[in-house]
Amino acid sequence: MTDQQKNPEVDKEKEAFVSDESLLPNHEVKPEKRVGTSAILSFALFIAIAYTVLLLLGPFSMGAWAGGFFYFLGIHMISFVIATILLWNGILNGNKATLYIAVAIYVFSFIAAGDPDWLINHIPPLVVGVLVLIGTVLLKNEE
């Protein structure tokens, strides 16, 4: 109680300062910064999610061969899922560095896809990686 009685003038100044800020008109409030969306990046995210779902549903149809599927394509699947999560995060935040890292991981996923005869596993990481690279280069810097 003694502290409150020593400085009543300072408390009144603080109350006046807070009340003045709360009475600002709405048009003077700074708007939140919005990140623009890119159609190319959205399309790449759609392709990446569709391929991820196909990769995860594939072993269920294989039965006993699922272990071999995971053995040969495990690193490819893990890196593709990580790159897709980074792509989603990069689109959400508009962070170009995250999108470039996603492109690098998509390239690694392309390399880790296994045997070159399995062309079906090489096409989606390559297509999505190129789309993300083009979308990232064309993305306007909102900062």
Side-chain angles (χ1 to χ4, degrees):
M1 270 205 88
T2 58
D3 291 336
Q4 291 177 352
Q5 292 174 355
K6 287 182 184 178
N7 297 324
E9 296 172 0
V10 175
D11 290 338
K12 289 180 183 177
E13 289 177 8
K14 286 182 182 178
E15 289 175 7
F17 181 71
V18 171
S19 65
D20 288 342
E21 281 184 353
S22 63
L23 296 176
L24 288 175
N26 287 336
H27 61 83
E28 291 183 15
V29 177
K30 293 182 180 178
E32 292 183 15
K33 185 170 58 172
R34 303 210 114 218
V35 178
T37 58
S38 171
I40 296 173
L41 290 175
S42 299
F43 183 65
L45 182 64
F46 176 74
I47 292 173
I49 290 173
Y51 182 67
T52 302
V53 168
L54 288 175
L55 272 179
L56 296 177
L57 290 179
F60 290 115
S61 65
M62 296 180 134
W65 290 95
F69 183 78
F70 286 130
Y71 178 75
F72 288 109
L73 291 177
I75 296 172
H76 165 71
M77 290 172 61
I78 291 169
S79 60
F80 195 87
V81 169
I82 290 171
T84 303
I85 292 169
L86 288 175
L87 172 61
W88 174 74
N89 190 14
I91 291 172
L92 190 66
N93 296 329
N95 190 352
K96 283 189 169 188
T98 306
L99 293 172
Y100 284 124
I101 293 170
V103 170
I105 296 175
Y106 279 127
V107 170
F108 176 74
S109 176
F110 171 77
I111 294 169
D115 191 9
D117 292 335
W118 294 2
L119 188 62
I120 193 70
N121 293 327
H122 288 277
I123 293 173
L126 182 64
V127 169
V128 173
V130 169
L131 285 174
V132 172
L133 182 63
I134 291 170
T136 304
V137 169
L138 295 178
L139 185 67
K140 292 180 182 177
N141 195 0
E142 297 289 331
E143 297 175 311

